[in-house]
Amino acid sequence: MARILITSALPYINGIKHLGNLAGSMLPADVYARFQRARGHETLYICATDEHGTPAELAAAEAGQDVATYCAEQHILQHDVGRAFGLSWDWFGRSSSPQNHRLTQHFAEVLEKNGLIEERTDEMVYSIDDKRFLPDRYVEGICPICAYPKARGDQCDNCGSLLDPTELKEPYSVISGSRNIEVRQTRHLYLLQTKLAERIREWVDSRENWPLLAKSIAYKHLDEGLIDRGITRDLEWGVPVMEDGVPRSGFEDKVFYVWFDAPIEYIAATAEWADANGGDWERWWRTDKGADDVRYVEFMGKDNVAFHTVSFPATILGSGEPWKMVDMLKAFNWLNWYGGKFSTSQKRGVFMDAAIELLPADLWRWYLTANAPEGSDTAFTWEQFASAVNRDLADVLGNFVNRIVKFCESRFEGVLPEGGEPGPLEEKLYADVAAQLAELTEQLESIEVRKSAQTLRALWVLGNEYLQEAAPWTAIKTDPTRAAVIVRTALNLAGLYARVSAPFIPFAAEKITEALGEPFPPKWPTTNAAAELSRIEAGRPVSAPEVLFRKIEDAQIAEWTERFGGAEPN
């Protein structure tokens, strides 16, 4: 039994996330976690809300709340909508937790002791009208690299360049829109990433199995040359800057930069889980306390990769302590909304709360995994979504399960029939199923999300082809024993489908297992298809489940297109 630690990029606190956030981190992480649990491995899936930084303060002000109250409410909303989508986190924490405060301050302390943090006098943007320094995300302007007009002070969303607010052209205050700003001096702590560049490169070099997307982003930043990064900000909300247990002199009104403390929350959230459940978080994170046998997998969109391949590794490596580092960083491209990006700030696209009100979670889960943005960006359209639901779920899987269970009810009184022996058709099915099962298992182990969904669909197709060729409705008229073999095999195949589909569409899988009297969550099948397709014994009662998947109609597509818009990005 392996031990597998899984984290997905922390959703930011300022509002319910859109489908792109779900597709690029949390959902594939959940599919992988469910698969590994079904394989019998000790699996811990950790996530949390990322609650510090400028956007939290801005969103709270816009909502007319103090930031602590705002974050507490938003955390509950994000937790609940994630659970509604079937996200099976073992813990969904908060980066504002006491555990994260302690760990963040600890890392800063050991980094400084190791000569990797120093105080520097900074030139920072100061808003005369707002009477305050403006941390990076409080400043917007023209990107000095690509001329994008709405680049933020920390990063350009258009070209991906990491920026400093003073680099922006024609900067203005996000708070008031004022351009009455100037550069003033202030003191900040800097993490000396330049001293760690070679160690970070050696570490990235050692990650031979990472996707090309993750490694290319890491090397881009390494090749351009790392810079020392400021890790404190002039904000009220965040982890206080301490020294010897008291506020650091001159830093009483400052906190740690959100991108310094947020990745540390992966560790801190595990400590939150342990404190709440009596677990041992150190055996997952400290290689001197048992974590050396853990396989650690991170899931995230490409815009987060730089921080996880450079900045966070600088923190971990620079500490000199025996922390577990990521083994596999599974990076995703973007799921776009027609021709443009989903946007939380501009409210463009379908967001998780609206999506779950429209349709059951499994429909979204299936589409987003079958169209996962792995090799390149992909675009959401209502037409493609409806096609995936109708063709894959309703016509293939739903149709197969419905047909065979109802046939068993009508012709065998809802009981798995006995008698007869498998013939050549069943032997061919065993071989085909075994081949697809082996491929599916390998693809999920390799975290090939899109390919695994395609293979799963191919498995579902085998069932319909088998029923079509075996034709139990014809056999029942002349050879009831032969019909019994077909029905027994097909019902076992439906049970197998529930087991291998559970990571992708857990709610439907649970309905199928209930209809067949099987346990849930299920165990992953072996590739011995003959044994797997005879495991449900004759004599067991079955009952048809409610309709598994309702088809999406053209009228619904038209209504949703009108409600949520189409291709025109702002």
Side-chain angles (χ1 to χ4, degrees):
M1 182 174 69
R3 297 176 60 224
I4 299 167
L5 173 64
I6 300 166
T7 62
S8 55
L10 309 187
Y12 200 70
I13 197 67
N14 62 337
I16 298 295
K17 301 300 103 178
H18 56 65
L19 294 181
N21 295 122
L22 183 64
S25 58
M26 293 183 286
L27 179 56
D30 183 68
V31 171
Y32 185 65
R34 287 176 177 273
F35 165 70
Q36 294 294 1
R37 292 190 196 109
R39 296 270 280 171
H41 299 313
E42 186 180 2
T43 304
L44 189 64
Y45 176 19
I46 297 291
C47 195
T49 38
D50 179 5
E51 300 187 8
H52 295 142
T54 309
E57 288 194 354
L58 292 175
E62 186 178 344
Q65 295 178 299
D66 68 88
V67 67
T69 301
Y70 172 82
C71 288
E73 290 183 1
Q74 291 296 319
H75 171 79
I76 293 170
L77 291 174
Q78 293 207 29
H79 171 273
D80 291 351
V81 76
R83 291 298 192 200
F85 271 91
L87 300 179
S88 60
W89 305 300
D90 291 285
W91 187 257
F92 188 66
R94 302 182 61 186
S95 70
S96 60
S97 68
Q99 291 89 341
N100 198 39
H101 279 226
R102 288 193 296 269
L103 271 169
T104 299
Q105 291 162 348
H106 165 80
F107 275 109
E109 179 183 336
V110 296
L111 285 165
E112 188 160 18
K113 284 181 180 177
N114 292 343
L116 294 169
I117 286 180
E118 68 179 27
E119 281 193 31
R120 291 182 181 178
T121 298
D122 251 358
E123 290 191 333
M124 281 195 64
V125 174
Y126 185 88
S127 172
I128 296 170
D129 293 338
D130 297 317
K131 297 183 176 60
R132 62 175 293 172
F133 284 103
L134 299 178
D136 40 31
R137 287 205 178 196
Y138 277 154
V139 189
E140 289 185 356
I142 298 172
C143 175
I145 310 299
C146 71
Y148 179 60
K150 296 193 70 174
R152 300 193 311 265
D154 63 342
Q155 186 175 6
C156 175
D157 281 343
N158 187 57
C159 69
S161 297
L162 302 182
L163 302 172
D164 187 274
T166 58
E167 296 177 310
L168 294 174
K169 298 177 180 178
E170 300 182 22
Y172 58 89
S173 166
V174 172
I175 301 171
S176 61
S178 172
R179 296 185 184 273
N180 186 19
I181 58 180
E182 63 185 24
V183 176
R184 293 186 181 181
Q185 289 190 337
T186 182
R187 297 287 288 174
H188 279 291
L189 298 182
Y190 270 73
L191 175 58
L192 307 183
Q193 295 185 153
T194 49
K195 289 187 175 183
L196 293 160
E198 285 309 309
R199 290 182 63 191
I200 294 171
R201 184 181 291 273
E202 289 172 4
W203 174 72
V204 173
D205 288 344
S206 72
R207 270 39 191 172
E208 297 177 355
N209 61 343
W210 279 11
L212 177 61
L213 177 62
K215 295 202 82 167
S216 63
I217 292 173
Y219 285 131
K220 174 181 182 290
H221 288 277
L222 288 165
D223 292 344
E224 289 175 354
L226 299 188
I227 61 171
D228 298 333
R229 295 289 291 179
I231 60 167
T232 53
R233 294 293 187 268
D234 292 281
L235 291 170
E236 296 179 1
W237 174 249
V239 179
V241 183
M242 308 291 282
E243 188 173 42
D244 298 327
V246 297
R248 187 184 186 107
S249 177
F251 285 75
E252 295 87 353
D253 297 325
K254 303 178 194 293
V255 297
F256 283 105
Y257 177 36
V258 61
W259 265 115
F260 182 68
D261 83 73
I264 296 170
E265 170 61 10
Y266 295 137
I267 307 172
T270 313
E272 295 170 46
W273 160 80
D275 290 346
N277 296 283
D280 179 0
W281 68 270
E282 290 185 313
R283 68 188 287 267
W284 291 96
W285 284 104
R286 297 274 304 202
T287 57
D288 60 337
K289 298 188 177 180
D292 52 345
D293 66 347
V294 169
R295 173 171 163 79
Y296 175 25
V297 185
E298 287 180 346
F299 290 79
M300 70 190 62
K302 61 185 176 183
D303 51 335
N304 287 331
V305 169
F307 294 103
H308 289 78
T309 56
V310 175
S311 301
F312 188 40
T315 298
I316 298 295
L317 291 170
S319 75
E321 296 176 332
W323 295 102
K324 175 66 185 176
M325 296 186 70
V326 65
D327 296 299
M328 165 61 80
L329 194 159
K330 179 66 177 182
F332 289 83
N333 289 280
W334 281 321
L335 175 74
N336 290 325
W337 176 253
Y338 287 82
K341 293 179 182 177
F342 283 84
S343 172
T344 301
S345 59
Q346 298 178 36
K347 298 179 172 57
R348 186 170 62 241
V350 180
F351 289 71
M352 289 173 65
D353 52 350
I356 205 70
E357 288 176 5
L358 290 181
L359 293 165
D362 279 345
L363 277 57
W364 300 105
R365 288 178 64 107
W366 175 250
Y367 172 82
L368 295 175
T369 48
N371 295 275
E374 284 176 298
S376 62
D377 292 350
T378 59
F380 176 94
T381 71
W382 287 114
E383 292 74 16
Q384 289 178 348
F385 173 67
S387 177
V389 169
N390 294 348
R391 287 187 300 106
D392 301 346
L393 298 181
D395 289 346
V396 182
L397 177 60
N399 179 58
F400 172 79
V401 173
N402 184 64
R403 287 169 76 191
I404 193 58
V405 178
K406 287 194 170 179
F407 185 81
C408 181
E409 284 185 329
S410 65
R411 294 306 186 103
F412 293 98
E413 298 180 344
V415 175
L416 254 74
E418 59 184 357
E421 295 295 330
L425 205 54
E426 285 70 43
E427 294 296 335
K428 179 179 182 301
L429 179 67
Y430 299 158
D432 291 342
V433 167
Q436 295 286 7
L437 265 178
E439 188 173 343
L440 176 61
T441 303
E442 181 180 347
Q443 288 165 345
L444 282 169
E445 284 286 4
S446 302
I447 322 179
E448 296 284 351
V449 178
R450 197 165 182 162
K451 286 182 180 177
S452 63
Q454 293 169 350
T455 302
L456 178 58
R457 186 187 189 279
L459 255 175
W460 297 341
V461 168
L462 289 177
N464 285 283
E465 291 175 346
Y466 170 71
L467 275 190
Q468 205 61 35
E469 193 168 355
W473 42 85
T474 300
I476 192 75
K477 300 173 184 175
T478 58
D479 190 350
T481 302
R482 173 62 188 154
V485 172
I486 298 167
V487 170
R488 202 164 59 245
T489 301
L491 286 170
N492 269 281
L493 191 55
L496 177 76
Y497 288 166
R499 296 164 73 195
V500 295
S501 302
F504 298 83
I505 46 173
F507 299 100
E510 186 168 11
K511 289 179 183 177
I512 297 170
T513 58
E514 288 176 352
L516 300 176
E518 288 284 274
F520 191 90
K523 292 182 179 179
W524 194 256
T526 68
T527 53
N528 183 346
E532 296 294 345
L533 296 184
S534 58
R535 61 186 299 276
I536 304 178
E537 70 283 356
R540 181 185 295 184
V542 298
S543 58
E546 60 183 272
V547 175
L548 292 173
F549 311 105
R550 297 189 184 280
K551 285 194 171 185
I552 296 173
E553 306 294 338
D554 290 344
Q556 291 173 293
I557 296 175
E559 176 191 339
W560 298 333
T561 301
E562 177 71 22
R563 176 178 169 186
F564 295 100
E568 310 83 16
N570 295 331

mmCIF file of all heavy atoms in Angstrom, residues 496-514:
data_model
loop_
_atom_site.group_PDB
_atom_site.id
_atom_site.type_symbol
_atom_site.label_atom_id
_atom_site.label_comp_id
_atom_site.label_asym_id
_atom_site.label_seq_id
_atom_site.Cartn_x
_atom_site.Cartn_y
_atom_site.Cartn_z
ATOM 1 N N LEU A 496 -19.133 -3.306 -12.844
ATOM 2 C CA LEU A 496 -17.759 -2.928 -13.154
ATOM 3 C C LEU A 496 -17.701 -1.465 -13.597
ATOM 4 O O LEU A 496 -16.810 -0.705 -13.191
ATOM 5 C CB LEU A 496 -17.214 -3.825 -14.260
ATOM 6 C CG LEU A 496 -15.798 -3.495 -14.729
ATOM 7 C CD1 LEU A 496 -14.771 -3.982 -13.730
ATOM 8 C CD2 LEU A 496 -15.523 -4.089 -16.108
ATOM 9 N N TYR A 497 -18.668 -1.059 -14.410
ATOM 10 C CA TYR A 497 -18.706 0.336 -14.868
ATOM 11 C C TYR A 497 -18.830 1.296 -13.689
ATOM 12 O O TYR A 497 -18.199 2.364 -13.669
ATOM 13 C CB TYR A 497 -19.871 0.553 -15.826
ATOM 14 C CG TYR A 497 -19.687 -0.073 -17.187
ATOM 15 C CD1 TYR A 497 -20.757 -0.214 -18.056
ATOM 16 C CD2 TYR A 497 -18.432 -0.524 -17.603
ATOM 17 C CE1 TYR A 497 -20.599 -0.785 -19.309
ATOM 18 C CE2 TYR A 497 -18.270 -1.099 -18.858
ATOM 19 C CZ TYR A 497 -19.354 -1.220 -19.706
ATOM 20 O OH TYR A 497 -19.189 -1.786 -20.941
ATOM 21 N N ALA A 498 -19.649 0.932 -12.714
ATOM 22 C CA ALA A 498 -19.794 1.801 -11.542
ATOM 23 C C ALA A 498 -18.464 1.950 -10.823
ATOM 24 O O ALA A 498 -18.091 3.049 -10.389
ATOM 25 C CB ALA A 498 -20.851 1.235 -10.598
ATOM 26 N N ARG A 499 -17.726 0.863 -10.717
ATOM 27 C CA ARG A 499 -16.461 0.897 -9.975
ATOM 28 C C ARG A 499 -15.413 1.749 -10.679
ATOM 29 O O ARG A 499 -14.690 2.511 -10.035
ATOM 30 C CB ARG A 499 -15.948 -0.530 -9.776
ATOM 31 C CG ARG A 499 -16.892 -1.371 -8.919
ATOM 32 C CD ARG A 499 -16.612 -2.853 -9.044
ATOM 33 N NE ARG A 499 -15.386 -3.233 -8.364
ATOM 34 C CZ ARG A 499 -14.762 -4.390 -8.540
ATOM 35 N NH1 ARG A 499 -15.254 -5.268 -9.412
ATOM 36 N NH2 ARG A 499 -13.665 -4.666 -7.872
ATOM 37 N N VAL A 500 -15.304 1.617 -11.997
ATOM 38 C CA VAL A 500 -14.271 2.384 -12.706
ATOM 39 C C VAL A 500 -14.726 3.798 -13.041
ATOM 40 O O VAL A 500 -13.893 4.671 -13.328
ATOM 41 C CB VAL A 500 -13.817 1.663 -14.000
ATOM 42 C CG1 VAL A 500 -13.140 0.349 -13.645
ATOM 43 C CG2 VAL A 500 -14.974 1.438 -14.960
ATOM 44 N N SER A 501 -16.028 4.057 -12.978
ATOM 45 C CA SER A 501 -16.537 5.402 -13.265
ATOM 46 C C SER A 501 -16.585 6.275 -12.021
ATOM 47 O O SER A 501 -16.712 7.502 -12.137
ATOM 48 C CB SER A 501 -17.941 5.319 -13.876
ATOM 49 O OG SER A 501 -17.953 4.551 -15.050
ATOM 50 N N ALA A 502 -16.506 5.660 -10.846
ATOM 51 C CA ALA A 502 -16.673 6.408 -9.602
ATOM 52 C C ALA A 502 -15.717 7.592 -9.448
ATOM 53 O O ALA A 502 -16.117 8.634 -8.930
ATOM 54 C CB ALA A 502 -16.558 5.458 -8.405
ATOM 55 N N PRO A 503 -14.447 7.500 -9.872
ATOM 56 C CA PRO A 503 -13.603 8.691 -9.756
ATOM 57 C C PRO A 503 -14.099 9.865 -10.600
ATOM 58 O O PRO A 503 -13.883 11.021 -10.236
ATOM 59 C CB PRO A 503 -12.236 8.202 -10.258
ATOM 60 C CG PRO A 503 -12.245 6.735 -10.013
ATOM 61 C CD PRO A 503 -13.661 6.327 -10.295
ATOM 62 N N PHE A 504 -14.771 9.575 -11.706
ATOM 63 C CA PHE A 504 -15.202 10.613 -12.630
ATOM 64 C C PHE A 504 -16.613 11.110 -12.304
ATOM 65 O O PHE A 504 -16.849 12.325 -12.255
ATOM 66 C CB PHE A 504 -15.187 10.081 -14.067
ATOM 67 C CG PHE A 504 -13.840 9.662 -14.557
ATOM 68 C CD1 PHE A 504 -13.330 8.399 -14.270
ATOM 69 C CD2 PHE A 504 -13.059 10.514 -15.321
ATOM 70 C CE1 PHE A 504 -12.084 7.994 -14.726
ATOM 71 C CE2 PHE A 504 -11.813 10.130 -15.786
ATOM 72 C CZ PHE A 504 -11.322 8.873 -15.478
ATOM 73 N N ILE A 505 -17.541 10.194 -12.144
ATOM 74 C CA ILE A 505 -18.952 10.541 -11.935
ATOM 75 C C ILE A 505 -19.463 9.796 -10.697
ATOM 76 O O ILE A 505 -20.228 8.834 -10.805
ATOM 77 C CB ILE A 505 -19.797 10.215 -13.189
ATOM 78 C CG1 ILE A 505 -19.461 8.825 -13.748
ATOM 79 C CG2 ILE A 505 -19.588 11.272 -14.270
ATOM 80 C CD1 ILE A 505 -20.385 8.387 -14.879
ATOM 81 N N PRO A 506 -19.044 10.228 -9.514
ATOM 82 C CA PRO A 506 -19.316 9.447 -8.303
ATOM 83 C C PRO A 506 -20.782 9.327 -7.939
ATOM 84 O O PRO A 506 -21.193 8.308 -7.375
ATOM 85 C CB PRO A 506 -18.542 10.208 -7.222
ATOM 86 C CG PRO A 506 -18.394 11.601 -7.754
ATOM 87 C CD PRO A 506 -18.251 11.447 -9.234
ATOM 88 N N PHE A 507 -21.583 10.331 -8.246
ATOM 89 C CA PHE A 507 -22.995 10.272 -7.855
ATOM 90 C C PHE A 507 -23.748 9.226 -8.671
ATOM 91 O O PHE A 507 -24.532 8.435 -8.127
ATOM 92 C CB PHE A 507 -23.638 11.654 -8.011
ATOM 93 C CG PHE A 507 -23.009 12.710 -7.152
ATOM 94 C CD1 PHE A 507 -22.091 13.599 -7.687
ATOM 95 C CD2 PHE A 507 -23.306 12.804 -5.799
ATOM 96 C CE1 PHE A 507 -21.488 14.576 -6.897
ATOM 97 C CE2 PHE A 507 -22.715 13.768 -4.999
ATOM 98 C CZ PHE A 507 -21.794 14.659 -5.555
ATOM 99 N N ALA A 508 -23.515 9.188 -9.971
ATOM 100 C CA ALA A 508 -24.141 8.166 -10.812
ATOM 101 C C ALA A 508 -23.609 6.782 -10.460
ATOM 102 O O ALA A 508 -24.367 5.801 -10.424
ATOM 103 C CB ALA A 508 -23.882 8.466 -12.288
ATOM 104 N N ALA A 509 -22.301 6.702 -10.197
ATOM 105 C CA ALA A 509 -21.712 5.412 -9.830
ATOM 106 C C ALA A 509 -22.363 4.855 -8.565
ATOM 107 O O ALA A 509 -22.618 3.647 -8.455
ATOM 108 C CB ALA A 509 -20.203 5.568 -9.627
ATOM 109 N N GLU A 510 -22.641 5.740 -7.613
ATOM 110 C CA GLU A 510 -23.277 5.281 -6.382
ATOM 111 C C GLU A 510 -24.695 4.783 -6.650
ATOM 112 O O GLU A 510 -25.133 3.777 -6.070
ATOM 113 C CB GLU A 510 -23.298 6.408 -5.349
ATOM 114 C CG GLU A 510 -23.808 5.961 -3.999
ATOM 115 C CD GLU A 510 -23.572 6.978 -2.902
ATOM 116 O OE1 GLU A 510 -23.199 8.124 -3.212
ATOM 117 O OE2 GLU A 510 -23.757 6.627 -1.724
ATOM 118 N N LYS A 511 -25.420 5.438 -7.546
ATOM 119 C CA LYS A 511 -26.767 4.975 -7.894
ATOM 120 C C LYS A 511 -26.728 3.585 -8.529
ATOM 121 O O LYS A 511 -27.582 2.733 -8.253
ATOM 122 C CB LYS A 511 -27.434 5.963 -8.852
ATOM 123 C CG LYS A 511 -27.840 7.284 -8.228
ATOM 124 C CD LYS A 511 -28.473 8.193 -9.272
ATOM 125 C CE LYS A 511 -28.834 9.547 -8.694
ATOM 126 N NZ LYS A 511 -29.382 10.459 -9.739
ATOM 127 N N ILE A 512 -25.731 3.368 -9.375
ATOM 128 C CA ILE A 512 -25.622 2.060 -10.030
ATOM 129 C C ILE A 512 -25.283 0.977 -9.011
ATOM 130 O O ILE A 512 -25.867 -0.114 -9.028
ATOM 131 C CB ILE A 512 -24.563 2.095 -11.154
ATOM 132 C CG1 ILE A 512 -24.969 3.084 -12.245
ATOM 133 C CG2 ILE A 512 -24.366 0.697 -11.755
ATOM 134 C CD1 ILE A 512 -23.870 3.363 -13.276
ATOM 135 N N THR A 513 -24.350 1.277 -8.109
ATOM 136 C CA THR A 513 -23.990 0.266 -7.105
ATOM 137 C C THR A 513 -25.174 -0.037 -6.193
ATOM 138 O O THR A 513 -25.387 -1.193 -5.815
ATOM 139 C CB THR A 513 -22.793 0.734 -6.248
ATOM 140 O OG1 THR A 513 -23.094 1.971 -5.610
ATOM 141 C CG2 THR A 513 -21.542 0.891 -7.086
ATOM 142 N N GLU A 514 -25.954 0.970 -5.852
ATOM 143 C CA GLU A 514 -27.153 0.732 -5.031
ATOM 144 C C GLU A 514 -28.147 -0.148 -5.773
ATOM 145 O O GLU A 514 -28.750 -1.045 -5.184
ATOM 146 C CB GLU A 514 -27.810 2.069 -4.663
ATOM 147 C CG GLU A 514 -27.039 2.881 -3.633
ATOM 148 C CD GLU A 514 -27.675 4.239 -3.383
ATOM 149 O OE1 GLU A 514 -28.629 4.591 -4.120
ATOM 150 O OE2 GLU A 514 -27.216 4.956 -2.473
#
